[in-house]
Amino acid sequence: MSDHYDVVIVGSGAGGGTLAHRLAPSGKRVLVLERGDWLPREIENWDPEAVFVDNRYVSPDRWYDASGRAFQPQVHYVVGGATKFYGAALYRLRERDFGELRHHGGISPAWPIDYGDLEPYYTQAEELYQVHGARGEDPTEPPASAPYPWPPVSHEPRIQRLFDDLTEVGLHPFHAPSGIMLDEARPAFSTCIRCATCDGFPCLVHAKSDADVIAVRPALRHDNVTLVRNAFVRRLETDASGRTVTTVVAEVDGVEERFTGDVVVVSAGAVNSARLLLASADDRHPHGLANGSDQVGRNYVFHNSRAFLAVSKEPNDTRFQKTLGLNDYYFGDADFAFPMGNVQMVGKSSAPMYRGEKPIETKLAPTFTLREVAAHAIDFWLSVEDLPHPDNRVTLDHDGSVVLSYTPNNQEPMEQLYHRVKKHLSHLGMHPHHLIPRDVYMKNDVPVAGCAHQAGTVRFGTDPATSVLDADCRAHELDNLYVVDTSFFPSIGAVNPALTAIANALRVGDHLLARLG
């Protein structure tokens, strides 16, 4: 039996890593168990062929869909979790996202907390993760108690022209909130070098505000914080009453070890947090830990997303492209009364990223080579809310493997949003017949494999019959079990979920500090 801790955290990503950072100065003994290792710093970090073609850093996991077909999920087990590869687009949910919203495809449920409860923590999260942005440009932005801590990342010339063109047609493009360690006023002292290998790549120079660099490494400067790597947590064990988690059982470098803590926090990602609770079934919790409501694993969401290339008539020599966002259609417009979603740029594509992407090769005119497409491409990402449904869920098969069942929903808003973007781009110096699907992030035939924005599965609420966690993210059925990642989301909105996970980790961190005294 290993040493006893005040808090044991399973996972080191946006939720777990940030929580460790919040608890570290308290002197409480904190243990972080990370399934992976430090991501190696190597030249392949910035090699698009290694990252996107060879899947060098993608987990070898095999999950299964509802029909039993195996697929490789786009997940990464490393210190810092999914944030090592995210595009660092750190958006707040809109105020209305916290309430019940009627969509074309159904209802997005209300949260047990409102925007005002999370706003102070959004501000703290933006400060901690060094978010660059500009208040007042986005007409849907919620109120904030402070300006962004860093000025917006400037647009390079081709994106500035797009910004100006969109403004001229009456839209409201804005500088996308970005978590990078860039100092444009003093470039000689800037950690970020504004390269083209940020979105989807790990940062070789540690200039991206990921949970590893921002949260875990600073936390480890405190002697009371311990990180155990290569620790695959297999199950949680409870006392005889079933009300208290007593032991965290993990394989560390293939050897079983047992850890104990006064509080146990699960932060392994929406799929794996649900997997762990389901795998921890016992006599007191026969359907899985904290699962008396039969809600663990249900209501999985991950956004209806579409990435595409707009082939510009002029070359696009932009390097750091992810600087522009558009939310004019977030809650609908005069012709479509339901929410649509968010438009943003993604990282600048390059020819090696297209290898094997048949949709691109088959839609190209013969006069275009992949290299020419890359030279002229402007890369967009559309994000639309998918709605929680109880049958979109995580279950385990007979040998404990993850089964991820998902049927798409709320699809019409994506077509409406795409139609509007396409209409505008056709008049803004783009080839109207060359809006090309880009499947960089979903390279598997199973769309659900692209699970970067996974959420739901262990949602919080006020009613133990319809939720797993209370408003503090503590399990209704266990006094010392918390879940602090995107699993707690009752709905996902249409913007990237990372900042909300970070802000909530800070909020729950304050609750735990008060609880531990």
Side-chain angles (χ1 to χ4, degrees):
M1 182 72 71
S2 298
D3 290 343
H4 185 81
Y5 296 86
D6 294 297
V7 182
V8 178
I9 302 171
V10 180
S12 64
T18 304
L19 178 62
H21 185 277
R22 175 51 57 100
L23 299 178
S26 70
K28 299 297 181 183
R29 300 199 66 207
V30 177
L31 171 66
V32 180
L33 298 172
E34 168 52 50
R35 182 169 175 174
D37 207 335
W38 300 111
L39 188 134
R41 300 184 74 182
E42 54 189 6
I43 198 64
E44 287 86 356
N45 289 176
W46 281 351
D47 182 344
E49 189 152 331
V51 173
F52 290 103
V53 179
D54 300 337
N55 276 343
R56 183 177 181 87
Y57 304 110
V58 173
S59 161
D61 273 18
R62 305 301 289 174
W63 294 354
Y64 297 86
D65 66 12
S67 64
R69 182 170 59 166
F71 65 94
Q72 184 180 21
Q74 298 290 297
V75 293
H76 305 88
Y77 298 138
V78 293
V79 178
T83 66
K84 291 300 292 184
F85 292 83
Y86 74 167
L90 293 175
Y91 286 80
R92 299 181 180 207
L93 286 173
R94 317 290 94 174
E95 271 186 292
R96 289 169 60 189
D97 285 326
F98 289 83
E100 183 176 285
L101 266 179
R102 181 171 295 280
H103 287 256
H104 182 272
I107 298 295
S108 177
W111 290 40
I113 61 174
D114 62 25
Y115 174 77
D117 295 319
L118 207 53
E119 195 286 325
Y121 295 103
Y122 272 134
T123 298
Q124 293 175 32
E126 289 167 347
E127 184 72 33
L128 177 60
Y129 278 72
Q130 302 185 31
V131 182
H132 297 243
R135 307 275 189 225
E137 294 180 334
D138 175 3
T140 71
E141 73 178 4
S145 54
Y148 280 106
W150 286 85
V153 180
S154 65
H155 301 307
E156 293 176 47
R158 184 64 187 92
I159 305 306
Q160 182 63 54
R161 177 169 162 204
L162 176 63
F163 186 98
D164 295 340
D165 288 344
L166 291 170
T167 301
E168 283 184 18
V169 299
L171 297 174
H172 302 84
F174 56 88
H175 289 82
S178 184
I180 54 175
M181 301 175 204
L182 175 68
D183 188 345
E184 293 190 83
R186 302 187 308 155
F189 297 91
S190 177
T191 306
C192 175
I193 60 173
R194 200 177 172 126
C195 70
T197 49
C198 188
D199 194 3
F201 295 83
C203 183
L204 180 58
V205 296
H206 284 183
K208 179 159 56 179
S209 297
D210 61 49
D212 166 22
V213 175
I214 289 289
V216 176
R217 291 172 192 252
L220 291 176
R221 297 188 191 120
H222 297 261
D223 292 341
N224 53 298
V225 179
T226 301
L227 171 67
V228 176
R229 308 184 310 280
N230 301 307
F232 183 9
V233 177
R234 291 293 190 178
R235 67 185 184 277
L236 307 177
E237 296 178 348
T238 70
D239 63 6
S241 73
R243 291 287 306 174
T244 303
V245 176
T246 57
T247 309
V248 179
V249 182
E251 286 182 18
V252 181
D253 292 320
V255 177
E256 182 177 296
E257 291 197 34
R258 302 166 68 82
F259 303 92
T260 64
D262 292 339
V263 170
V264 174
V265 180
V266 176
S267 187
V271 171
N272 279 306
S273 288
R275 177 205 62 78
L276 177 57
L277 297 182
L278 294 171
S280 300
D282 58 22
D283 290 343
R284 294 283 182 176
H285 303 274
H287 304 294
L289 207 57
N291 197 26
S293 62
D294 189 35
Q295 293 299 303
V296 170
R298 294 189 184 272
N299 303 297
Y300 174 84
V301 288
F302 78 122
H303 277 145
N304 294 325
S305 299
R306 178 174 296 173
F308 67 91
L309 313 175
V311 181
S312 175
K313 293 176 181 177
E314 63 183 71
N316 177 20
D317 59 0
T318 305
R319 293 183 63 80
F320 191 88
Q321 183 172 257
K322 200 176 177 72
T323 59
L324 184 150
L326 188 73
N327 277 337
D328 288 66
Y329 305 112
Y330 194 94
F331 291 115
D333 64 10
D335 298 319
F336 189 75
F338 301 100
M340 284 182 263
N342 167 258
V343 182
Q344 59 184 273
M345 318 302 295
V346 288
K348 183 70 181 76
S349 58
S350 60
M353 292 181 182
Y354 307 151
R355 271 188 46 192
E357 293 193 27
K358 293 179 183 178
I360 285 181
E361 302 212 9
T362 57
K363 289 177 181 286
L364 287 177
T367 55
F368 282 84
T369 67
L370 296 184
R371 189 174 299 278
E372 287 171 326
V373 168
H376 288 258
I378 299 178
D379 307 74
F380 291 86
W381 181 274
L382 309 184
S383 180
V384 169
E385 184 165 358
D386 60 332
L387 304 177
H389 190 281
D391 291 334
N392 285 344
R393 63 185 300 197
V394 176
T395 55
L396 303 182
D397 67 10
H398 63 278
D399 67 356
S401 296
V402 167
V403 178
L404 185 53
S405 304
Y406 184 85
T407 301
N409 62 53
N410 201 36
Q411 297 286 287
E412 181 61 22
M414 174 61 75
E415 300 311 315
Q416 294 286 337
L417 183 59
Y418 183 64
H419 169 73
R420 284 157 177 76
V421 174
K422 182 177 180 178
K423 177 184 68 176
H424 287 301
L425 294 183
S426 296
H427 296 91
L428 298 181
M430 312 292 176
H431 290 280
H433 302 299
H434 293 300
L435 299 188
I436 304 167
R438 175 183 166 190
D439 294 333
V440 167
Y441 298 105
M442 301 181 187
K443 294 160 45 157
N444 195 289
D445 288 339
V446 181
V448 79
C451 51
H453 289 187
Q454 59 179 283
T457 72
V458 191
R459 62 183 181 177
F460 72 164
T462 56
D463 184 357
T466 59
S467 60
V468 182
L469 311 172
D470 68 14
D472 293 321
C473 290
R474 182 183 65 83
H476 290 300
E477 299 174 12
L478 292 106
D479 179 63
N480 70 333
L481 175 64
Y482 293 76
V483 180
V484 183
D485 52 20
T486 53
S487 304
F488 82 95
F489 283 35
S491 64
I492 195 172
V495 291
N496 311 53
L499 189 73
T500 301
I502 292 164
N504 183 65
L506 296 172
R507 182 182 73 95
V508 176
D510 279 357
H511 163 80
L512 290 177
L513 289 172
R515 169 180 173 148
L516 294 169

